[in-house]
């Protein structure tokens, strides 16, 4: 790609150069100037595009899956949500994967571990549970649960429960891009439960008060708190919203944190829940980092790069890096809550985070399309 | 102090040596071997002794103070608790200071700041408040509040309140020992309240969920959460005690933490609340670091270096560094809760923390005295 | 990819399933089990393959480039070294880019900055210089120089110098994979030199002795020391080799570090120089992380996944993640020195580093091929 | 101490109050307002005073010691330098201890370890050595060596050497103030040498290049580099002074650092060497933290709180916290080099560091006395 700007590649190819390129090719080499402008863009140009997956479309298909495949054959029975421009790496956006997993009462997947880090956000059903390194956690709607890098984990639904659907989020495309993925099936297929149910939440239920007897031995690179239930989360958001205006771009945005460090829950994936009070319209901005959102409560819309995406509860949408975005709570009476997970811990650890307010037009994008 | 052990000073003074010492003295010098065994003990030999201050003794005296001095004359109207061996530095134990402050309804102290860090633990009364850097906090019994290094702060009691008594804890002796104390009276004597009441608790009420819009700007070396109320603290202790046995030496010991870092609330002072279920007797151990305890709930006893200290609610006691100690909840029906503050952050930052279990006698000290 | 193992995907496609997949496709969704075994491999399966680029092959082509393109048209006149399996992202291995840049005496490239981080390792010629954020550095053979994320930088050769060739190393593919690249041409095309020549090396020439007057203001996420000259590097390697055996896998491997933190020179790229004494054959191992090596001094061979790669001075070779590798200094009299750069800081920051010794066959791979 | 300022204690004692104080005293309590102004000063009021110990005074006395006491009786044969106001804690200034140790050829002290951290700065003689955790280090004039917290260490002089004198620096008063000192004599009185001589310097001789094979296993809270020789130190100072002006208050001040962290060499003690070019007069400032200086090279003077202290090579002087100070290189031809050690790591870890330029009088204090 030739750009006629000083400091950029603007070589005009000639037969002589073509011959030179051919010679370079013989030795697994090439001329940088033939690709420089492409691989060094002026600003991020993600392959990923914004996408919205509406739950009313997907739910019937997800609920159909149990009739089609058995969990023991599928490994995990998941409808994955794939960015149309990242099909080759099964990414929802950037290097993040997401999907909707469904299990019937009494089903249980086999235990495994992997170098990828995972999270779950429960969407519907009762009786779901996850076991992580010997701790069994009971899960209800909008609970958020971690299965971090290298942990033995498995999911299931109690015999007494109902069909459950949850969103999985993983960094599989990232870990694959870094050539660092490992996968192991548990030798016994199910791991023993060695601790009281929900014991990490029992220990860290207040976050600012921490069990010295557990903390002092924690050496892992992720949060010792594995389940973040919805009820205290929503209470905390409401309490904060009574005292604080929050961010102009995100309202009352609260990060789920690793209480030991105050940092992200896992080294590669951050997660947040944000509340927009009734009627709030945030200002637009953009930043590096890829995000997958789920509408946890309420309805409204996002405007991403000028396109409007109306959404309802349980809809999922993807925000590519450096896309201009803003949110609107369409209700005058109800809160809008957005759950999201992202690769911000990667951006920050690698010093790649950049942010820019959208200054034009009073901070709101002109809407040029809707999806 | 001569010790007849190889590797220790065992010089026997002679007239010749005495003359030599006198010569050294002329140049502000001395012979190390005359003091080496004293200043390099085999193990810590704190000047401080264990002390218990019983609230039934002190309460009448504390309540007498308002009739004797006005807050504007006293600066702060405080009965300080002084270790009999550390009177010269006004320390309760080690390099920690503590005292009981009393205020009548409608009284308010003048605002000031200092390099020393302070905390308060509310003992009785209603309507107490503390203002820290523009945030007013309402305080009830057993609430724990910070006024860290360099913050403008002041205390008072509402007109509609009752006489209030609380425990102050500070690192004044430490900061003085390090020749680093500063004190400034607020130019207006009272500072303006610039934020909603209890706004830091509203923002961090769940600890594991943190306001991104506040956190990203926090550069101070102490917790942005300034008030840790009793009710959620006790709930968290009870929740933990249902799932965990806790430490054999301390039961369900939970540290109050700085949510931003997961570390101590202030750089020089740590604080904890621990719960001992009915009847629990902990095992004895010792460690470096000085502690001031207040019995927040229940009754029982501590055994410190073989001496038994029975205590009731609101009693305060001091544990010197390296003293062997164990606790006993004397009730078969009620929890025992101990609030404490300590200099562990100093011990840890300076790599001076050491710990040792008491192995003899089944882990329990023979009791040779009581106080 | 079906694997008939419990815990893996082993669904057999049916017409009913095919129809289901088509329906999912309509909503940008898919069935995880159709790709699960591919995207969750048992262990890393890099697309990259080991490659060796021999300087005797490339040097004539590199020296031909100045006659073919002008630096002001090329941006940078670089022959890039491209992994045959990563051509689409111009990577040498993993997410690392490398190339050979050539400049004639008196040439100078325009100044620019980018979110990608870069390094240079000088191969031949005299009079080369790099300017980074106002500091001009003079460069000789085997000097190592940084142009980190976000720094203004430019390269040139003095009028009095000779044609210079150096190796560039960048994380362009990584930063692009993370959708976080930015590029800016300096408004004046050349930046002013505002500090004494080689001033960062003058300040940090001993590493363990650091200028308090500079350190205290350094907030950047990379090393303030920008040039690491060859001579003291080789001296340090020799000194270490006289006292230490080093790693069984890497000999005397020394990391270039950021003196402020003791960590990697840049957040995304680490770099090392290692010395193998005459005749040394290291043991084989594998680990996550991608490496680009240049033979800085001496000759020998690497065995990578059973294939032998003989190399001479200035040859460059690529080691993919999780490839089993070992080195051999083929000389009985001369040291072998290998310069390398890698993505270990990424692996470590993201908790993805894994390492495994090759235990079979006395720790040495059977050689099954050579390249 | 009564101060008639609002916000300070200004209670006037009455018979009634005296009676009240007596009652408080019965319960190990007191009234804060009787001491508040003393223990909360407006700014640091160190007990320590500035002192200079001139080597011409002390050297004859130090050299006399070997005739008076045997090393095996003294433990260590040290003339300690004691602040006239801190005799009770054997401190030179603040909570720092220093002394001059002397050993004859062929003498060796017994090995021991302690929780206090120590350093040595060699003053004269040849053949001195120190052994730390199995590493023997050879020491010459102006070499700086660490014996950190908890390390087995011992000192001696080779049979072939000459009488040696060095300065010891320790944090004994600090560790005692924190009730955290321990002392152990090595069971064999001498420890075995298990590593090559000077092996830590061989490994870290360039600081910015670090041995991966050693670093990865280093978990201790202090520097793995134990000896910092004079020659490379002086070279580094000279190199820096050719490119940098340094600090207006301290000239070319370089900190000795722990290469693993880039921080202080030990958790409680920092150390620096600073160079003042011929004729340089620094500007005055003050800061918290206590310092012990030794004139490593050259002559000049310090002005501390208005008093002038002329000094020559090997003179030692003490700077109390918050004292205003400035330096002057009295020579027009020779460098002045000052070695110093300090408690800045403590000040910084505990958030107690404060600094203030002296703005009056063109930045130089009027001289009102000399010592």
């Amino acid at each position: 790609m030739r750009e006629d700007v000083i400091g950029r590649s603007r070589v005009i190819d000639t037969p002589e150069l073509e011959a030179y390129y051919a010679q370079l090719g013989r030795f697994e080499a090439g001329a940088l100037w033939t690709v420089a402008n492409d691989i060094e863009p002026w600003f991020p140009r993600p392959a990923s595009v914004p996408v919205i997956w509406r739950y009313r479309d997907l739910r019937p298909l997800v609920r159909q899956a149990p009739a089609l495949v058995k969990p023991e054959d599928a490994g995990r029975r998941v409808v994955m949500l794939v960015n149309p421009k990242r099909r080759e790496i099964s990414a929802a956006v950037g290097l993040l994967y997401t999907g909707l997993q469904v299990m019937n009462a009494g089903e249980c997947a086999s235990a495994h571990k992997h170098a990828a880090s995972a999270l779950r956000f429960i969407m519907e059903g009762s009786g779901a549970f996850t076991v992580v390194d010997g701790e069994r956690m009971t899960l209800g709607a909008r609970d958020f649960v971690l299965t971090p890098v290298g942990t033995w984990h498995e999911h299931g639904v109690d015999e007494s429960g109902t069909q459950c659907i949850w969103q999985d989020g993983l960094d599989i495309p990232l870990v694959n891009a870094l050539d660092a993925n490992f996968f192991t099936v548990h030798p016994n297929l199910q791991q023993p439960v060695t601790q009281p149910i929900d014991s990490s939440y029992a220990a860290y239920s207040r976050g600012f008060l921490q069990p010295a007897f557990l903390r002092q031995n924690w050496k892992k690179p992720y949060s010792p708190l594995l389940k973040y239930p919805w009820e205290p989360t929503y209470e905390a958001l409401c309490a904060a919203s009574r005292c604080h205006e929050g961010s102009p771009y995100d309202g009352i945005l609260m990060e789920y944190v690793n209480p030991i460090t105050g940092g992200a829950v896992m080294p590669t994936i951050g997660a947040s829940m944000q509340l927009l009070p009734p009627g709030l319209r945030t200002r637009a901005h953009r930043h590096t980092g890829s995000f997958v959102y789920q509408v946890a409560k309420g309805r409204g819309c996002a405007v991403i790069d000028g396109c409007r995406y109306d959404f309802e509860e349980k809809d999922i949408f993807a925000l590519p890096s450096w896309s201009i975005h803003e949110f609107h709570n369409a209700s005058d009476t109800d809160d809008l809550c957005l759950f999201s997970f992202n690769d911000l811990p990667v951006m920050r650890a690698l010093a790649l985070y950049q942010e820019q307010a959208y200054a034009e037009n009073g901070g709101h994008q002109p809407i040029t399309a809707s999806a």
Side-chain angles (χ1 to χ4, degrees), chain A:
Chain A
M1 187 179 64
R2 187 171 176 274
E3 290 180 23
D4 202 0
V5 176
I6 293 183
R8 297 291 275 183
S9 172
R10 43 183 191 165
V11 173
I12 296 172
D13 286 343
T14 60
E16 196 180 9
L17 280 171
E18 305 275 4
Y20 182 65
Y21 301 159
Q23 274 201 294
L24 291 177
R26 287 177 47 215
F27 297 108
E28 312 301 357
L32 173 60
W33 58 84
T34 62
V35 299
N37 295 350
D38 283 319
I39 67 176
E40 294 189 304
W42 297 103
F43 51 82
R45 289 190 319 212
S48 303
V49 292
V51 192
I52 186 161
W53 294 273
R54 294 203 166 83
Y55 198 56
R56 64 173 179 261
D57 295 333
L58 288 166
R59 187 172 187 266
L61 289 166
V62 169
R63 289 172 55 92
Q64 205 180 328
L68 293 167
V69 291
K70 288 182 281 187
E72 61 267 31
D73 286 345
R76 281 140 301 161
R77 195 164 48 203
V78 178
V79 168
M80 60 183 181
L81 311 184
V82 191
N83 198 290
K85 302 292 188 187
R86 305 310 300 269
R87 289 194 186 282
E88 76 284 8
I89 58 167
S90 301
V93 64
L95 296 172
L96 296 172
Y97 159 98
T98 200
L100 302 180
Q101 188 162 172
V102 59
M103 275 200 172
N104 284 341
E107 287 185 344
C108 186
S110 53
H112 58 265
K113 68 177 179 180
H114 37 62
S117 286
L119 58 85
R120 255 132 222 111
F121 187 76
I122 311 303
M123 300 178 76
E124 59 173 289
S126 69
F129 64 87
T130 287
V131 186
V132 179
D133 279 350
E135 177 187 347
R136 180 171 166 143
M137 287 165 280
T138 57
L139 302 170
R142 295 161 175 153
D143 287 354
F144 166 57
V145 63
L146 309 181
T147 56
V149 45
T151 52
W152 289 117
H153 60 279
E154 63 207 270
H155 312 290
V157 177
D158 281 337
E159 289 286 353
S160 61
T162 62
Q163 190 183 61
C164 290
I165 300 177
W166 59 82
Q167 182 184 10
D168 287 331
L170 290 105
D171 58 5
I172 289 175
L174 172 70
V175 178
N176 285 337
L178 293 168
D179 294 330
N181 214 352
F182 293 85
F183 188 96
T184 315
V185 176
H186 195 281
N188 303 332
L189 298 183
Q190 302 302 132
Q191 62 179 312
V193 172
T194 57
Q195 300 168 53
I197 288 180
D198 290 326
S199 63
S200 72
Y201 184 70
Y204 290 93
S205 64
R206 272 292 159 175
F208 57 70
L209 202 70
Q210 297 188 9
F213 49 96
L214 296 178
R215 256 168 81 73
Q216 66 194 7
N217 301 316
W218 190 257
K219 309 289 181 216
K220 306 271 178 68
Y222 49 81
S223 173
L225 172 59
L226 296 170
K227 180 173 93 165
Y228 298 76
W230 164 248
E231 201 175 309
T233 299
Y234 184 61
E235 273 173 19
L237 287 163
C238 292
S241 75
R242 284 190 290 269
C243 268
H244 298 276
E245 293 210 350
S247 152
Y249 309 112
D250 281 305
I252 302 296
L253 188 147
M254 309 272 274
E255 291 175 43
Y256 296 99
V257 306
N258 173 347
I260 297 286
T261 63
V265 288
M266 299 187 289
T268 51
I269 308 183
S272 302
M273 183 71 82
Q274 72 197 87
L275 179 150
L276 277 69
L280 185 73
R281 186 188 298 273
T282 64
R283 299 173 68 87
H285 73 153
R286 60 180 169 180
H287 48 68
T288 51
S290 300
F291 280 66
V292 176
Y293 288 88
Q294 186 186 138
V295 184
K297 182 173 184 299
R299 62 193 177 78
C301 75
V303 182
I304 303 177
D305 288 339
C307 180
R308 172 177 169 151
Y309 299 81
D310 288 297
F311 51 59
E312 297 180 358
E313 210 169 290
K314 299 195 180 68
D315 287 350
I316 291 171
F317 59 97
L319 175 73
S321 181
W322 206 240
S323 298
I324 305 172
H325 59 284
E326 58 191 286
F327 302 115
H328 182 204
N329 180 349
S331 166
D332 289 334
T333 51
D334 293 333
D335 294 329
L336 169 63
C337 292
L338 300 176
F339 168 79
S340 59
F341 67 93
N342 57 65
D343 60 2
L344 288 186
V346 178
M347 294 294 127
R348 293 199 169 116
L350 306 186
L352 294 173
Y353 186 73
Q354 297 285 339
E355 191 174 358
Q356 192 180 57
Y358 178 78
E360 297 81 358
N361 201 32
H364 295 289
Q365 307 161 75
I367 296 175
T368 56
S370 72

